[in-house]
Amino acid sequence: MRLRKVYHRFSQFSLSPIPTPFFLHNHLPKSLSSSSSSSLLLPLPKPIRNPFRIRALHSRTCRTRNKYSCLKATAMISSSSRFHNLVPVNAVVREDGGDSNGSVSSSSNSDPTATSATAAVDEELVANGYQLPPPEIRDIVDAPPLPALSFSPQRDKILFLKRRSLPPLSELARPEEKLAGIRIDGKCNSRSRMSFYTGIGIHLLNDDGTLGPEKEITGLPEGAKINFVSWSNDGRHLSFTVRVDEDDNSSSKLKVWVADVETGKARQLFNSPDIYVNTVFDNFVWVNNSTLLVCTIPLSRGEPPKKPLVPSGPKIQSNEQKSIIQARTYQDLLKDEFDEDLFEHYATTQLVLASLDGSVKPIGPPAIYTSMEPSPDEQYILITSIHRPYSFIVPCGRFPKKVQVWTADGRVVRELCDLPLAEDIPITFNSVRKGMRSISWRGDKPSTLYWVETQDGGDAKVEVSPRDIIYTQPAEPLENEQPIVLHKLDLRYGGISWGDDSLALVYESWYKTRKIRTWVISPGSKEDIRPRILFDRSSEDVYSDPGSPMLRRTSAGTYVIAKVKKSDDEGIYVLLNGNGATPEGNIPFLDLFDINTGNKERIWQSDKDKYYETVVALMSDQKEGELCINQLKILTSKESKTENTQYFIVSWPDKKPCQITNFPHPYPQLASLQKEMIRYQRKDGVQLTATLYLPPGYDPSKDGPLPCLVWSYPGEFKSKDAAGQVRGSPNEFAGIGPTSPLLWLARRFTVLSGPTIPIIGEGDEEANDRYVEQLVASAEAAVEEVIRRGVAHTEKIAIGGHSYGAFMAANLLAHAPHLFCCGIARSGAYNRTLTPFGFQNEDRTLWEATTTYVEMSPFMSAHKIKKPILLIHGEEDNNPGTLTMQSDRFFNALKGHGALSRLVILPFESHGYAARDSIMHVLWETDRWLQTYCVVNSKEANAVPAACTENVSKGTADSESKAVSAAEGVRELEDQQEITLYYSRRSSLW
């Protein structure tokens, strides 16, 4: 998806306000549009022996547990797709492994056939070595997911996009090529591990807000896997891709299908059976209501290149020019000439114009096209491609990039830029690529381009004014017509919300100071109207966040700032949609804001006493021009501590809500769980917050303290005041994802979720210089609070986290062993010398801050860890910095000092865990660890209860020697795929 469309989607629905557009602009990877984070179904391969590598050490004795096998499961997968009108149904699990907002819709399964099938799968799963958590946890994870929702451009219909639950491990085992920072499924010629929808239902949205009966899309092949659902601009057709896994192992490549929304009938777009979609980068886009531009696999393409048995020569990299090139620990990079050829084979696309009547016209030469963006007036297409020379040290987003303007029928109008290879982008925050960037069409014009050019060479350390300049120019400028300077910025450009010739909002920000500004400009005014600052604030100060402007859809399908008129009032009003952060928690709001005077009127606000309700979308934007305040209509999501999210239509002037969904409670067995947002203080005076969860029916005065699981993720701040601000709402529904710590509420644990762990560096001080000190102080305050409340047993408090949270957990066991009885660390990094060119929010190198790198690394303090620690890691981790080697080496260091530790390597899993087999086993490992070292909490911590070891040891006698051998060896890791997390702030790859 192009960044403009991503930004518009998020702004339009204001899923959260955009107080820091820079972060949004630089954080959203293009893979957002390609459903590339999940899995594909495939025929079951032969069982793979010993896919898990488990290493355990109990009191200086290494005891391997089991050998595991790959097996078939009937789990389902979730999905995502590309279109503006997607409404999230709370199905996203946070990166840190904490709370999601509930990805399941029901924990009961009334179908006896399905229950029997699940039992059979579970029996096979256990027989092959994977383990199952207790039923009270398993039932929650296995519940079916909610559908995703999408509104039509005219807001008169809703799609229910149906999904599966967790995929079987066999899907993750499908072969994939790791090339240039991405992972490719060669059989499908798509990103690997793609999720999919299983069906599409269409509902009419009646005038009274009720939904009509479902109309199912028909004509699809049995077992169709649906991706990239997109509305035509007139709302009459849907386009999407379909793939089917063939029994005869023939191609399961994607084909474009279209469906008539009125009849629900679907058909293939291409008459030829030999035309397939190439979705490695982009896929297809509506050029107009009857034509799509499709990325196809070239018909002339042959078989993939074969890797030579004998290399043509040594692999050589040179820096004889003495260039300063600092790169992150990117994964899945190209390694040699063969990889370069293989990357070109799969990524090369032939663009094709395809009409609904079946006519097909190839346009342009085959190339690696990464994005296609039609102009609002449908006359031009902005085409981006990448080309050689490639790089072995950075991913494909930094390869040489060419941007051209084509006519809608494929004629090249002009070349905007051809950017060279960008290996030398500094690692400093706010550093970007040299040359033109963020090139896109203005949403308020038929065919006018805009872009940004840095004036500091892309290096944030260079002091210069201005730092960025925004330009605009017609698609086909007149002879000698130069680009117009739209605005100059002293901070880093962060995006534009277009309105019309009299109004646009420009965002800039600077991470080092956390400063963010919003400018008001008049992009087309002939008068000399100077830009002015509308908001100038700290991005950390959530209490001062004014909200972000709501966008309306134009007839051309673009999104611009919604202007609102009041009767007998000449003012220019916009709608600001905000989270409404307060010391009591978030109270979302909608303000009517006068751009000229700055006056605001609160026209809607969430019920702060019981409910948490947010504005999701503007529903009254079907007509051009200004919106009348008395005809305003919005879509909201509403939830409470015990009521899961439902969607409502709220209409003016009476503002009476009309409920349009009625999703069942996702886990009724935890419907009466207790949730409280608590506040407490760190010893240095910093205010901290956390969400305290207690099991249903629990009474501290009668039941006494419980075992407690603390799960968190540190964050960096520049001020104590900002660090102490409350984020989140006490009324939000307790969403539970498949690996959420909240699952242990079903096991009668107290769960302290997300206690703030602020690492503060005020003034010239860097936050990480006192990382350990502040980390321990925050943990001490959290532990003291749950003990003071009488809900946690002093000697039965466990610490856990995922990714940077795992790093936190390991450090706390090393430096605060008095606080916790055991720890769980998933997919973390433990030795910062292995990420020498910065990590997380640290942009100094190892050589600039050697002491910080060493003192922050729990690897260097492995000899201090005396409490039991469980390490879990995906074998195919593709996140920069968290190579699987991090857990391997940390475990060896722990073992070398006799620490009670266990390492579980999940085959085929990436940074987050996807397969049902893996997730169930992770939950079993975690529950076993907590029951053994937290609930029982033997002071000796040597013996494992027989009930815990019965399933672990059976059937392993013939494999223990192999597992021990694997445990003692040092693995050679393949390069793995980059996932843009915090690191994408540091450079604009696209």
Side-chain angles (χ1 to χ4, degrees), residues 822-862:
C822 65
I824 297 117
R826 300 192 320 221
S827 298
Y830 309 103
N831 183 354
R832 286 306 175 187
T833 68
L834 298 177
T835 55
F837 291 109
F839 58 89
Q840 198 72 6
N841 291 331
E842 176 60 66
D843 60 8
R844 295 172 295 175
T845 70
L846 168 64
W847 300 272
E848 294 171 323
T850 304
T851 301
T852 299
Y853 273 66
V854 172
E855 291 182 350
M856 285 184 68
S857 298
F859 179 86
M860 303 301 180
S861 300

Side-chain angles (χ1 to χ4, degrees), residues 641-661:
K641 294 179 183 179
T642 57
E643 298 171 81
N644 53 302
T645 303
Q646 306 293 350
Y647 291 90
F648 294 77
I649 299 289
V650 180
S651 302
W652 269 249
D654 60 6
K655 303 180 188 177
K656 182 179 179 180
C658 178
Q659 185 171 341
I660 63 172
T661 62

Side-chain angles (χ1 to χ4, degrees), residues 92-101 710-715 735 737 739-742 752-757 799-809 824-828 840 879 911-913 981-982:
V92 179
V93 180
R94 281 170 32 188
E95 182 275 334
D96 63 3
D99 297 6
S100 73
N101 285 325
V710 179
W711 198 273
S712 192
Y713 193 99
T739 57
S740 169
L742 298 189
L752 191 67
S753 178
T756 49
I757 310 284
I799 182 69
H802 187 95
S803 194
Y804 204 51
F807 177 75
M808 168 208 71
I824 297 117
R826 300 192 320 221
S827 298
Q840 198 72 6
N879 180 47
H911 190 61
Y913 316 140
L981 295 172
Y982 291 95

